[in-house]
Amino acid sequence: MTEFDFLYDGTEETRTRFVCVVGETLRRFDLAITSTNRFYGKKLVTDMQTGRTAVIGPDDLEEEGYLEHAYKLSEEEANELRAFLSEVVGPISFSDI
């Protein structure tokens, strides 16, 4: 049997919002947006069509190429997703420091 060294192992209640949006490019985004106490208040955003997931906060939305890389999007598609997520993603919280 394989032995593992656990770095962490915990369970918490989370809140997940499921949303489907379509922008002007007609790219459909089926998203699961999970709020958790981890990641300093950033959201865990999963594209349910592709299975790609990223931890996203307001700083990530400002980082050039972040959404394009994380979700394999064109610049135009990423701009639409960025516009939507900027309304959803709140400020980063450092309450666990």
Side-chain angles (χ1 to χ4, degrees):
M1 185 170 168
T2 304
E3 290 187 31
F4 295 97
D5 290 328
F6 286 88
L7 301 178
Y8 61 84
D9 180 6
T11 303
E12 75 172 271
E13 294 289 323
T14 61
R15 192 175 73 247
T16 303
R17 175 182 176 187
F18 295 94
V19 63
C20 178
V21 295
V22 178
E24 291 179 10
T25 64
L26 301 180
R27 169 63 157 80
R28 177 178 168 161
F29 295 99
D30 289 294
L31 305 173
I33 304 167
T34 302
S35 299
T36 173
N37 291 326
R38 294 193 177 270
F39 314 120
Y40 304 105
K42 292 184 177 188
K43 308 289 187 203
L44 190 62
V45 181
T46 302
D47 179 340
M48 294 186 301
Q49 290 184 13
T50 64
R52 292 186 179 92
T53 301
V55 177
I56 298 180
D59 56 329
D60 301 305
L61 294 177
E62 295 174 8
E63 186 175 330
E64 186 176 329
Y66 184 80
L67 294 179
E68 290 87 337
H69 175 74
Y71 297 105
K72 307 292 186 230
L73 300 172
S74 70
E75 183 178 349
E76 190 176 14
E77 292 168 334
N79 286 336
E80 287 184 349
L81 180 58
R82 186 175 293 107
F84 172 73
L85 290 177
S86 65
E87 297 177 19
V88 174
V89 174
I92 297 174
S93 168
F94 293 101
S95 60
D96 59 342
I97 294 179

